[in-house]
């Protein structure tokens, strides 16, 4: 290859093609995910708290509550309340994304394994 | 492309440019990477809006790549498009790495949220990557922006305005400031924005050195035109972040004026940035 000197300056380096291809791939992938979600079913958040684990000792029990959002929208400032006999405990979660889950801990004097009632008191739209 | 096109020296030179691009991406997107609203927008924004943001950002990045570029060997629109995708890759990788290190992107979170969080941050990261050559290369090599014509200069103002506006638009404070302001505050802020913008434009920016334009002509051509564009940029940015939803018209205008203040500074200083 005798006469090949002006060409190198014009063609981008291979590394540039690799990175450019990666960028294109990532961008298209993200767009596909977003548009798929945008076209998908909508609907409000559906908040479902459930008791995961209990720890502590008589007098100060801790109930670990998993809060799932099985709906299609994010819920903000989610207030979770647990009622155990005449005891009430509550905690607020900043955000529970659609399809996501968060964990809160509620404190009780009696053992929450017996008859704890959990519900979401309310939330806002972000 | 034949395998013979691989030139080790050019590859390493490009790797160095790429390293600088990562530096620029980190430097410019760090404030946003550390803003909690941005993490939440990753999953709370409507996916259609996020997609639109990415689509609209693409031509803007191509424009930036055209005028600023990030490698020494770049010429023309085709190469600017390639530069843009490289910059986006840099933006995605930077955001993914830093958000993971800062425990914002969690492995057990739904994939869709992590993707949203990273994609949202990739755009400012890509802007930083494209600006890296001018900002981090100790003045070696000029971009094409010296020969930018009037529409090109307006474009640079939009890019500069968007860049600064993006850094503050996601925060709660934009809306909070708008709530606090009376109409008189808003009017005062408009005049402050225009005055500061014109001072930068005329002294350091577009109309200064190389032109024999009067202050008035420069004011109309650059300051007023630029401020108008920045107002539009502000509306779009606020809309993307859902800050215009369920707000009254006056509140939206207030928020736009607030956001246009950093935006106007960015637009005026675009020449210094880009």
């Amino acid at each position: 290859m005798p006469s090949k000197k002006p060409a190198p300056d014009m063609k981008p380096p291979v590394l540039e093609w690799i990175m450019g291809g990666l960028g294109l791939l990532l961008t298209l992938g993200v767009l596909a995910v977003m548009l798929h979600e945008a076209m998908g079913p909508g609907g409000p958040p559906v908040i479902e708290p459930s008791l995961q684990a209990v720890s502590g000792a008589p007098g100060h029990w801790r109930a670990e509550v998993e809060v799932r959002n099985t709906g299609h929208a994010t819920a903000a400032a989610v207030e979770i309340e647990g009622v155990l006999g005449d005891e009430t405990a509550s905690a607020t979660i900043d955000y529970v994304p659609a399809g996501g889950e968060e964990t809160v801990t509620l404190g009780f004097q009696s053992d929450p394994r017996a008859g704890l009632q959990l519900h979401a008191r309310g939330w806002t739209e972000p | 492309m034949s395998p013979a096109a691989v030139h080790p020296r050019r590859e390493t030179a490009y790797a160095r440019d790429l390293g600088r691009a990562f530096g620029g991406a980190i430097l410019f997107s760090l404030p946003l990477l550390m803003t909690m609203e941005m993490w939440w927008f990753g999953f709370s924004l409507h996916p259609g809006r996020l997609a639109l943001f990415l689509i609209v950002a693409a031509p803007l990045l191509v424009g930036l790549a055209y005028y600023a570029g990030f490698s020494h060997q770049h010429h023309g629109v085709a190469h600017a498009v390639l530069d843009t995708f490289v910059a986006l890759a840099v933006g995605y990788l930077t955001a993914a790495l830093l958000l993971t290190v800062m425990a914002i992107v969690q492995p057990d979170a739904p994939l869709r949220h992590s993707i949203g969080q990273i994609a949202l941050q990739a755009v400012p990261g890509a802007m930083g990557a494209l600006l890296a050559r001018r900002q981090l290369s100790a003045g070696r090599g000029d971009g094409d922006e010296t020969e930018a014509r009037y529409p090109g200069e307006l474009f640079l103002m939009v890019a500069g305005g968007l860049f600064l506006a993006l850094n503050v638009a996601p925060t709660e404070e934009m809306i909070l400031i708008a709530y606090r302001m009376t109409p008189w505050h808003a009017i005062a802020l408009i005049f402050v924005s225009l005055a500061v913008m014109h001072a930068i434009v005329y002294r350091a920016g577009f109309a200064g050195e190389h032109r024999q334009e009067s202050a008035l002509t420069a004011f109309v051509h650059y300051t007023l035109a630029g401020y108008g564009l920045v107002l539009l940029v502000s509306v779009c940015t606020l809309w993307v972040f859902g800050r215009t939803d369920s707000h009254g018209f006056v509140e939206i205008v207030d928020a736009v004026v607030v956001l246009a203040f950093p935006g106007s500074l960015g637009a005026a200083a675009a020449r210094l940035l880009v």
Side-chain angles (χ1 to χ4, degrees):
Chain A
M1 286 181 277
S3 62
K4 209 194 171 208
K5 49 184 171 74
D9 277 31
M10 304 312 292
K11 277 188 187 161
V14 175
L15 186 58
E16 188 166 2
W17 284 112
I18 296 171
M19 289 300 287
L22 183 66
L24 179 66
L25 218 66
L26 288 171
T27 308
L28 290 181
V30 167
L31 278 178
V33 171
M34 291 303 145
L35 291 175
H36 175 79
E37 171 123 346
M39 309 293 180
V46 178
I47 302 296
E48 291 169 359
S50 62
L51 186 62
Q52 268 327 94
V54 173
S55 59
H60 37 87
W61 293 95
R62 291 182 297 275
E64 215 171 273
V65 178
E66 189 185 75
V67 182
R68 288 178 153 282
N69 180 356
T70 55
H72 291 281
T74 296
V78 183
E79 202 182 324
I80 299 296
E81 188 184 64
V83 180
L84 182 64
D86 53 357
E87 277 188 86
T88 303
S90 70
T92 306
I93 315 169
D94 284 341
Y95 287 92
V96 186
E101 56 193 48
E102 296 287 335
T103 306
V104 295
T105 302
L106 303 176
F108 295 97
Q109 289 188 332
S110 13
D111 190 338
R113 271 168 292 207
L116 174 64
Q117 298 208 316
L118 292 165
H119 61 275
R121 276 168 59 104
W123 59 80
T124 65
E125 276 178 37
Chain B
M1 278 196 63
S2 65
V6 179
H7 291 259
R9 193 179 298 167
R10 280 177 56 235
E11 299 297 333
T12 45
Y14 189 75
R16 212 172 302 127
D17 287 337
L18 208 54
R20 198 159 43 214
F22 274 102
I26 294 173
L27 192 65
F28 281 87
S29 61
L30 205 54
L32 283 174
L33 286 167
M34 293 184 157
T35 300
M36 63 179 177
E37 284 90 343
M38 286 294 278
W39 316 334
W40 295 333
F41 283 141
F43 54 76
S44 69
L45 275 190
H46 187 272
R49 262 182 221 201
L50 200 52
L52 194 69
F53 174 68
L54 294 174
I55 292 169
V56 171
L60 210 113
L61 290 171
V62 172
L64 260 187
Y66 183 79
Y67 286 114
F70 78 44
S71 184
H72 280 284
Q73 326 112 340
H74 76 98
H75 294 288
V77 177
H79 208 143
V81 172
L82 183 56
D83 261 4
T84 300
F85 283 115
V86 175
L88 277 168
V90 170
Y92 281 113
L93 294 177
T94 307
L97 178 74
L98 289 182
L99 288 177
T100 307
V101 164
M102 294 191 289
I104 293 144
V105 166
Q106 302 266 16
D108 56 346
L111 191 63
R112 148 74 179 88
H113 302 151
S114 308
I115 290 177
Q117 286 173 323
I118 292 168
L120 189 59
Q121 302 271 12
V123 171
M127 288 180 99
L130 288 172
L131 295 176
R133 185 170 68 96
R134 299 304 308 275
Q135 293 306 307
L136 305 179
S137 72
R140 267 193 302 144
D142 278 310
D144 295 345
E145 94 293 342
T146 27
E147 60 258 28
R149 306 170 77 96
Y150 184 62
E153 302 205 306
L154 288 185
F155 167 79
L156 286 180
M157 290 182 114
V158 168
L162 178 71
F163 190 75
L164 238 70
L166 258 188
N167 269 286
V168 287
T171 63
E172 197 80 42
E173 282 84 344
M174 287 305 107
I175 293 297
L176 190 60
I177 294 170
Y179 286 157
R180 298 175 65 94
M181 286 200 315
T182 64
W184 297 112
H185 286 101
I187 291 168
L189 189 57
I190 292 174
F191 281 110
V192 171
S193 302
L194 282 170
V196 176
M197 195 178 176
H198 185 64
I200 301 175
V201 162
Y202 198 63
R203 281 283 135 219
F206 294 91
E209 304 152 42
H210 307 297
R211 275 161 227 272
Q212 260 67 49
E213 273 184 298
S214 74
L216 183 68
T217 326
F219 183 77
V220 176
H221 274 185
Y222 292 99
T223 311
L224 268 188
Y227 191 68
L229 290 171
V230 165
L231 287 176
L232 289 177
V233 167
S234 302
V235 176
C236 298
T237 316
L238 287 170
W239 178 80
V240 164
F241 291 134
R243 295 298 198 205
T244 55
D245 301 358
S246 62
H247 278 81
F249 181 70
V250 176
E251 284 302 340
I252 293 176
V253 172
D254 276 353
V256 167
V257 169
V258 172
L259 187 57
F261 178 52
S264 62
L265 297 187
R271 253 295 169 83
L272 308 176
L273 274 175
V274 179

